[in-house]
Amino acid sequence: SPTCSGMEIELLAQDVLRSHRETSQPRAEELQQRRWDTFSREEVCAYQRKPMQEMWERCAGRLTEAIQHVVEFAKRLRGFMELCQNDQIVLLKAGAMEVVLVRMCRAFNPDNRTVLFEGKYAGTELFRSLGCHELVGSIFDFAQSLCALRLSESEVAFLCAIVLINANRPWLQEQAKVARLRGRLEVAFRLLLRRTHREGLLARLPPAGRLRALCSQHVEQLQAFRRLHPGALPAAFPPLYRELFA
Amino acid sequence: KHRILHKLLQNGNS
């Protein structure tokens, strides 16, 4: 289209990959090297003995760090900072956790169902004292299903960009502008998939509702935790976590 | 509202 030249699409694609590379830690090669470095039986037991509140604080801390990287990813994405500030906030508030969940598949080992957490790979049992087995299981299932797609780093980068730039989020002020950016991202993603003979991927992606459900489940579990531990949240949870979820 | 997100977005290199 006249508003979307081939050059523009090319630049956008390079930009998505660079933004992803610069803001995703650890790097893919390092994750690959460490994927069998799992917690010992004793270390798992030590995590399981931690009080519920401490485990929630730790998980909120790690999640917040991941979200800060997602904010940096968004800021480097061509077009994001040209949106009005209301819409930047709306997109991040609604999408940051979803992007973290997509990014999590990079740090997930589907062969033993473990995820990198505080330096080593951990199975669901390590998170027992959180008291939300169902949520943890669903998050692991989601990571497992993304890993089955054998996504390349470029594909993860585009998925994250497309999850974030969603013109259907409520309270957007310049919906058309977001939709145009989203459209350009989709064109660039399709071009990448055609070049790499991966067109079939689009039909195999998990439905958007699945990510949304995981995020609502997280907020529900947080509310249940707050009922059990009133007053715990202001004390030790990161302010950004409270701002996004409480 | 969203004070921290605002701050992170405004910082050149947060």
Side-chain angles (χ1 to χ4, degrees), chain A residues 11-21 73 76-78 154 157-159 161 185 188:
Chain A
L11 286 174
L12 184 64
Q14 286 173 17
D15 196 61
V16 170
L17 303 188
R18 189 177 41 80
S19 308
H20 173 74
R21 240 192 335 264
F73 169 69
R76 286 160 207 233
L77 216 54
R78 189 173 295 263
S154 313
F158 267 106
L159 270 183
L185 285 166

Side-chain angles (χ1 to χ4, degrees), chain A residues 13-110:
Chain A
Q14 286 173 17
D15 196 61
V16 170
L17 303 188
R18 189 177 41 80
S19 308
H20 173 74
R21 240 192 335 264
E22 288 175 357
T23 62
S24 44
Q25 292 284 331
R27 288 180 305 120
E29 309 80 67
E30 195 188 330
L31 287 165
Q32 191 57 33
Q33 277 167 16
R34 290 167 59 186
R35 68 201 297 260
W36 297 106
D37 188 11
T38 49
F39 283 107
S40 68
R41 192 66 238 143
E42 294 71 35
E43 287 169 323
V44 172
C45 288
Y47 271 105
Q48 290 174 335
R49 280 195 300 269
K50 288 186 194 301
M52 180 190 257
Q53 186 171 336
E54 185 191 332
M55 202 55 191
W56 266 87
E57 284 164 15
R58 280 175 180 264
C59 289
R62 302 299 81 76
L63 176 57
T64 306
E65 287 161 7
I67 286 173
Q68 283 169 326
H69 289 297
V70 173
V71 175
E72 288 306 309
F73 169 69
K75 283 165 67 176
R76 286 160 207 233
L77 216 54
R78 189 173 295 263
F80 182 84
M81 292 309 274
E82 278 79 62
L83 301 172
C84 65
Q85 198 166 45
N86 174 78
D87 291 359
Q88 294 171 13
I89 302 263
V90 164
L91 294 177
L92 280 169
K93 177 137 200 215
M97 173 77 176
E98 295 189 4
V99 174
V100 168
L101 290 169
V102 171
R103 282 181 155 204
M104 187 184 134
C105 74
R106 301 174 69 249
F108 188 82
N109 181 352

Side-chain angles (χ1 to χ4, degrees), chain A residues 201-213:
Chain A
L201 179 65
L202 290 176
R204 297 169 61 209
L205 291 175
R210 198 157 166 209
L211 270 175
R212 221 171 24 241

Side-chain angles (χ1 to χ4, degrees), chain B:
Chain B
K1 231 185 155 195
H2 306 129
R3 198 170 42 85
I4 297 157
L5 264 186
H6 269 287
K7 213 167 84 187
L8 288 175
L9 285 165
Q10 273 160 2
N11 281 356
N13 190 18
S14 55

Side-chain angles (χ1 to χ4, degrees), chain A residues 72-231:
Chain A
E72 288 306 309
F73 169 69
K75 283 165 67 176
R76 286 160 207 233
L77 216 54
R78 189 173 295 263
F80 182 84
M81 292 309 274
E82 278 79 62
L83 301 172
C84 65
Q85 198 166 45
N86 174 78
D87 291 359
Q88 294 171 13
I89 302 263
V90 164
L91 294 177
L92 280 169
K93 177 137 200 215
M97 173 77 176
E98 295 189 4
V99 174
V100 168
L101 290 169
V102 171
R103 282 181 155 204
M104 187 184 134
C105 74
R106 301 174 69 249
F108 188 82
N109 181 352
D111 297 324
N112 59 3
R113 226 175 126 76
T114 56
V115 70
L116 187 64
F117 177 77
E118 301 195 334
K120 287 188 187 179
Y121 277 77
T124 52
E125 71 283 1
L126 182 130
F127 301 94
R128 191 181 293 164
S129 64
L130 283 175
C132 33
H133 317 291
E134 212 179 306
L135 171 61
V136 172
S138 306
I139 291 175
F140 273 58
D141 289 344
F142 180 76
Q144 190 105 35
S145 68
L146 275 191
C147 284
L149 302 175
R150 301 196 165 278
L151 300 171
S152 66
E153 281 290 301
S154 313
E155 290 166 353
V156 174
F158 267 106
L159 270 183
C160 291
I162 279 172
V163 164
L164 184 69
I165 309 298
N166 179 347
N168 297 322
R169 303 287 191 202
W171 313 112
L172 286 172
Q173 277 170 2
E174 298 175 327
Q175 197 186 25
K177 204 167 167 185
V178 178
R180 270 198 305 277
L181 178 55
R182 165 64 176 248
R184 290 199 297 271
L185 285 166
E186 283 179 1
V187 170
F189 191 21
R190 288 216 180 84
L191 191 67
L192 167 82
L193 294 177
R194 199 178 317 143
R195 276 183 190 159
T196 51
H197 310 290
R198 288 271 287 168
E199 290 98 328
L201 179 65
L202 290 176
R204 297 169 61 209
L205 291 175
R210 198 157 166 209
L211 270 175
R212 221 171 24 241
L214 287 174
C215 293
S216 334
Q217 224 178 324
H218 163 239
V219 171
E220 281 160 26
Q221 290 294 327
L222 175 63
Q223 284 163 351
F225 167 77
R226 291 178 78 186
R227 282 194 292 275
L228 281 175
H229 299 267

